[in-house]
Amino acid sequence: MGEQACNPAMFLWTSILLLLSVPRISSVTIHTAPELSFGNGTLATLPCTFQSSSPVSPQTAVTWQYVPSGGNPDVLLYYSGGESYRGNIPQFKDRVSWAGNLDKGDASINIADMHFADNGTFRCSVVNPPDVASSPRDIKVHVVEQGSSPRASREVWVIVPALLGVVVLIIAIIVFVIYRKKKKDKMNYHGAQ
């Protein structure tokens, strides 16, 4: 039995046909802020945007979950077909509402009257058939006293030392200039003649 020669053209066409026959799996890309802070008693908008290779349809669905610190995820809000359905988490009763616009790739929600007990992780997931593969995105939420911001206090710890460093540098330059001037004046002084 003789060996058969590999026909490069036949190999190329077979490869192309195989690649075209594999079903295309598309995914939804979801974007959220990794961490947000809200004042106690304020309205919080949790932003979630998405991109999909398929147009939005009545089958497009958004699920928001709440994951308390050390707890399990629970459905906070489900949105599909132009209707929102609230989950059964007692602490959020009558405070969660849809704020998105699917046609614009927006899957955001509002939470009214934020409480300290609302600290935790909020998870946004979107499916847009046939784009059903996606990775949900989490937002770590901190509820703080109104008027305070952990981010602002972190910035103070960066800005204050930087400003102090600049002040010390300016003082050092002034002292050096004065010292040099006095030394130069001493060298130029010849005493009473």
Side-chain angles (χ1 to χ4, degrees), residues 7 14 37-38 40 42 44-45 55 64 71 74 84 97 110 117 129 142-144 150 169 172 175-177:
N7 182 343
T14 304
S37 296
F38 299 101
N40 185 39
T42 62
T45 297
W64 275 92
D74 202 356
S84 62
S97 61
N110 287 330
H142 306 279
V143 181
V144 297
L169 181 64
V175 168
F176 178 75
V177 168

Side-chain angles (χ1 to χ4, degrees), residues 94-151:
D94 299 326
R95 295 194 298 131
V96 179
S97 61
W98 176 252
N101 181 339
L102 293 182
D103 291 328
K104 294 183 179 178
D106 184 0
S108 304
I109 61 170
N110 287 330
I111 302 175
D113 191 25
M114 291 295 286
H115 304 304
F116 293 116
D118 298 339
N119 285 319
T121 301
F122 292 80
R123 182 169 294 148
C124 176
S125 59
V126 180
V127 293
N128 185 33
D131 295 351
V132 293
S134 69
S135 295
R137 293 289 179 245
D138 291 350
I139 303 174
K140 182 88 172 155
V141 171
H142 306 279
V143 181
V144 297
E145 283 291 335
Q146 272 193 17
S148 72
S149 168
R151 174 182 218 117

Side-chain angles (χ1 to χ4, degrees), residues 1-189:
M1 251 187 154
E3 289 184 30
Q4 292 183 345
C6 180
N7 182 343
M10 183 64 131
F11 177 75
L12 179 64
W13 282 111
T14 304
S15 298
I16 290 173
L17 286 174
L18 279 173
L19 287 173
L20 291 175
S21 67
V22 174
R24 188 175 76 100
I25 299 175
S26 299
S27 66
V28 177
T29 305
I30 302 170
H31 304 279
T32 61
E35 196 169 342
L36 293 172
S37 296
F38 299 101
N40 185 39
T42 62
L43 173 70
T45 297
L46 301 183
C48 178
T49 59
F50 67 94
Q51 296 167 324
S52 175
S53 60
S54 298
V56 171
S57 71
Q59 287 79 35
T60 303
V62 176
T63 304
W64 275 92
Q65 293 178 304
Y66 173 65
V67 186
S69 299
N72 295 319
D74 202 356
V75 174
L76 183 64
L77 183 131
Y78 178 80
Y79 184 89
S80 182
E83 296 290 327
S84 62
Y85 306 91
R86 292 186 192 136
N88 291 320
I89 306 173
Q91 82 184 64
F92 294 104
K93 185 176 181 353
D94 299 326
R95 295 194 298 131
V96 179
S97 61
W98 176 252
N101 181 339
L102 293 182
D103 291 328
K104 294 183 179 178
D106 184 0
S108 304
I109 61 170
N110 287 330
I111 302 175
D113 191 25
M114 291 295 286
H115 304 304
F116 293 116
D118 298 339
N119 285 319
T121 301
F122 292 80
R123 182 169 294 148
C124 176
S125 59
V126 180
V127 293
N128 185 33
D131 295 351
V132 293
S134 69
S135 295
R137 293 289 179 245
D138 291 350
I139 303 174
K140 182 88 172 155
V141 171
H142 306 279
V143 181
V144 297
E145 283 291 335
Q146 272 193 17
S148 72
S149 168
R151 174 182 218 117
S153 64
R154 278 185 259 152
E155 289 171 356
V156 167
W157 285 107
V158 172
I159 293 172
V160 169
L163 287 175
L164 286 175
V166 169
V167 169
V168 168
L169 181 64
I170 291 171
I171 291 172
I173 291 171
I174 291 171
V175 168
F176 178 75
V177 168
I178 291 172
Y179 173 77
R180 291 283 311 243
K181 185 173 185 199
K182 282 187 177 186
K183 190 173 181 180
K184 188 177 179 183
D185 287 348
K186 268 188 180 179
M187 291 176 87
N188 290 336
Y189 178 72

